[in-house]
Amino acid sequence: MRIVVIGGTGLIGRKLVELLQERGHDAVAASPSTGVDTVTGQGLLEALQGADVVVDVANAPSFEDGPVMEFFRTATANVVAAEKEAGVGHHVALSIVGADRMTDIGYMRAEGGAGADRARERRAVHDRARDAVLRVRRSR
């Protein structure tokens, strides 16, 4: 199975790509350092060609309220549009346990907070019944 990991060279993404490859999947890291920019869309469609699944573990470059919301809105919209064009069957978005309860923090509102600010999660699964948002917490 071909799996593209958005944010695949970051802390979580790098480990995920390695794990998927160890299990026999064709896992590909997609990030600015591999020529994929989810904000501008540069390289995105090419990276998703032939993919069965996209796993989005990207992290915003800023934690400030406005920029983080804009990052997740724009990047996720671009990823979802490219997935549709490339015929990707599944989208998995990684989120944070409790993000929906920390609405006073801009990053958490953008990541998975309450109401209309759930930019990443809402866009990732809109009109796509077979997609998922996984919320994880740090292990001790």
Side-chain angles (χ1 to χ4, degrees), residues 82-95:
E83 288 172 346
K84 288 180 182 179
E85 189 171 338
V88 175
H90 299 278
H91 178 104
V92 178
L94 183 71
S95 188

Side-chain angles (χ1 to χ4, degrees), residues 2 4-7 28-32 34-51 54-56 58 73-88 91:
R2 182 171 168 82
V4 175
V5 180
I6 304 293
V28 177
S31 68
T34 66
V36 178
D37 187 326
T38 58
V39 175
T40 67
Q42 181 180 353
L44 190 54
L45 185 57
E46 295 83 2
L48 300 187
Q49 292 300 318
V54 169
V55 180
D56 185 355
R73 280 187 180 142
T74 303
T76 305
N78 288 341
V79 169
V80 170
E83 288 172 346
K84 288 180 182 179
E85 189 171 338
V88 175
H91 178 104

